[in-house]
Amino acid sequence: MASGAGPEIERLMALLSKLPGLGPRSARRAALALLKKREQLLIPLTAAMQDAAERVTSCHICGALSTRDPCATCADPTRDAAMICVVEEDSALWAMERVGAFSGRYHVLGGLLSALDGVRPEDLRLSGLMQRVSSGGVEELVMALPATVEGQTTAHYIADRVKPLAPEVTITHLARGVPVGGELDWLDDGTIAHAFKSRR
Amino acid sequence: MASGAGPEIERLMALLSKLPGLGPRSARRAALALLKKREQLLIPLTAAMQDAAERVTSCHICGALSTRDPCATCADPTRDAAMICVVEEDSALWAMERVGAFSGRYHVLGGLLSALDGVRPEDLRLSGLMQRVSSGGVEELVMALPATVEGQTTAHYIADRVKPLAPEVTITHLARGVPVGGELDWLDDGTIAHAFKSRR
Ligand SMILES: [Zn+2]
Ligand SMILES: [Zn+2]
């Protein structure tokens, strides 16, 4: 990306272009905005990123990204420990929390089983989930996984492992046909609330 | 943007959403990518931004963003000091440099005159340009300004001030009809090269 901007600015542009949604052109625009808005944007964003790099970790219970371990959800005694909502990534957890329709706990798998991409059960946060389920007190496992092959394969795999381990646990799924494409995060809030209320 | 991600991650998302091209949704995706790719993305990008915040300044001659002052272009004795290409922002300079069709110097105005947005001559890097032009040695001023009302108003204003100050300076314009919409940065490289070669 030779641009005449000098190696430091070019490095900034190259790294920005690795963010999802930013190509080379929008990375150049982002770099220019950062450099022109030094006090209002570059310095505060750098500080926020440094803070995140130093303090954000994964909750040892649910796997959610958080500056606290256990995370706020796992540590909150008012949240229903009998319900665990299983999501692929934190983005789905964030989407559910924005809606506010769910008052239980979460489990962030960190991915989905995929023969194509070589993602195996041991690559996901599955043993932790089995431990939570088998330790008792869980009544419902809400699968908020995408309606893709990978999402459904993962949901079936989890159900098959939970049944013998904790037959008393009910497994429900977010109403189908809604999260097509997989990105729960990309749905509007009303749709998620509906999908959650009509889970089966 | 209440998301259940905790205040630190929410602050990160809020600041990312201020970057051009990133809305709230893509800012959430960017934040997640940063947090998941801590070593490969978050830490190097934070370092690049910190470096930029500490070291990038504006060249006192041409106004370009650079870690050196004078910038590489102004300091390069092989670049033709008789030609100055006048651009709105660094992005246009970067686009010209990517093409490599221009071997002179630059002058970055830092904006365009706009009655609507209240941008007056004293808000732009104009006195520096007049100083460069009147100090002698400049033969051509290439206006690489957008074909918008603001771009053309600015070009005319500069021409009107340069004429009495340095009547020997030829003022040319990048071939019209090409940078409609204003963003020289958004043109493909072949188009810029053509626009430059066919300047009038
Ligand atoms: Zn947790
Ligand atoms: Zn310079």
Side-chain angles (χ1 to χ4, degrees):
Chain A
M1 208 197 281
S3 67
E8 294 84 1
I9 298 176
E10 268 164 34
R11 179 167 163 71
L12 178 62
M13 292 192 281
L15 286 165
L16 283 169
S17 75
K18 290 187 183 173
L19 288 175
L22 288 187
R25 282 177 176 174
S26 39
R28 288 196 290 267
R29 288 174 62 213
L32 185 62
L34 285 168
L35 294 169
K36 288 198 70 177
K37 296 178 184 170
R38 201 178 170 283
E39 305 299 324
Q40 314 99 287
L41 191 52
L42 177 54
I43 290 175
L45 181 55
T46 307
M49 285 167 60
Q50 192 136 37
D51 201 39
E54 280 165 12
R55 300 181 52 208
V56 173
T57 181
S58 289
C59 172
H60 81 280
I61 300 173
C62 72
L65 293 162
S66 172
T67 49
R68 295 198 285 171
D69 185 14
C71 71
T73 311
C74 288
D76 184 350
T78 71
R79 301 215 40 151
D80 189 356
M83 288 177 88
I84 297 178
C85 178
V86 178
V87 295
E88 177 187 359
E89 293 291 1
D90 288 81
S91 48
L93 185 162
W94 299 342
M96 295 285 291
E97 286 300 288
R98 281 198 304 279
V99 178
F102 181 68
S103 58
R105 311 284 174 105
Y106 290 95
H107 199 85
V108 182
L109 294 175
L112 295 174
L113 295 178
S114 169
L116 212 67
D117 298 333
V119 183
R120 299 152 306 169
E122 55 268 40
D123 298 322
L124 306 180
R125 248 177 235 106
L126 280 171
S127 61
L129 178 61
M130 296 311 145
Q131 229 175 317
R132 292 176 78 183
V133 164
S134 57
S135 68
V138 177
E139 289 165 20
E140 183 178 347
L141 218 54
V142 184
M143 297 289 178
L145 297 178
T148 57
V149 174
E150 286 82 9
Q152 298 315 301
T153 304
T154 309
H156 285 134
Y157 180 89
I158 293 174
D160 285 349
R161 284 196 57 190
V162 167
K163 269 172 211 155
L165 212 63
E168 74 282 7
V169 173
T170 308
I171 295 181
T172 58
H173 299 264
L174 281 206
R176 207 58 112 71
V178 176
V180 172
E183 293 267 13
L184 195 62
D185 183 40
W186 286 82
L187 290 171
D188 67 278
D189 296 350
T191 317
I192 298 175
H194 175 78
F196 180 73
K197 288 201 182 80
S198 52
R199 69 190 187 278
R200 300 159 303 123
Chain B
M1 207 196 283
S3 67
E8 295 84 0
I9 299 176
E10 268 164 35
R11 180 168 163 71
L12 179 62
M13 291 192 280
L15 286 164
L16 284 169
S17 74
K18 290 187 183 175
L19 288 175
L22 288 188
R25 281 176 178 175
S26 38
R28 287 196 291 268
R29 287 175 61 213
L32 186 62
L34 285 167
L35 294 169
K36 287 198 71 175
K37 296 179 182 168
R38 202 178 169 282
E39 304 299 325
Q40 314 100 287
L41 192 51
L42 176 55
I43 289 175
L45 181 55
T46 306
M49 286 168 59
Q50 192 136 38
D51 201 39
E54 279 164 14
R55 300 182 52 208
V56 173
T57 180
S58 290
C59 172
H60 80 281
I61 301 172
C62 73
L65 293 163
S66 173
T67 48
R68 295 197 286 171
D69 185 14
C71 70
T73 311
C74 287
D76 183 350
T78 70
R79 302 217 36 153
D80 189 356
M83 287 177 89
I84 296 178
C85 179
V86 179
V87 295
E88 177 187 358
E89 293 291 0
D90 289 81
S91 49
L93 185 162
W94 299 342
M96 295 285 290
E97 286 300 288
R98 280 198 304 278
V99 178
F102 180 69
S103 58
R105 311 285 174 104
Y106 290 95
H107 198 86
V108 182
L109 295 174
L112 296 173
L113 295 177
S114 168
L116 213 67
D117 298 332
V119 183
R120 299 152 305 169
E122 56 267 38
D123 299 322
L124 307 179
R125 250 178 233 105
L126 280 170
S127 61
L129 178 61
M130 296 310 147
Q131 229 174 316
R132 293 176 76 183
V133 164
S134 57
S135 68
V138 177
E139 289 165 20
E140 182 179 349
L141 217 54
V142 185
M143 298 289 178
L145 297 178
T148 56
V149 173
E150 287 82 8
Q152 298 313 301
T153 302
T154 309
H156 285 134
Y157 180 89
I158 293 173
D160 285 349
R161 285 195 58 187
V162 166
K163 269 170 212 156
L165 213 62
E168 74 282 7
V169 173
T170 308
I171 296 181
T172 58
H173 299 265
L174 281 204
R176 208 55 115 73
V178 177
V180 172
E183 293 265 15
L184 195 61
D185 182 40
W186 286 81
L187 291 171
D188 68 278
D189 296 349
T191 317
I192 298 175
H194 175 78
F196 181 73
K197 289 202 181 82
S198 52
R199 69 189 188 278
R200 300 158 303 123

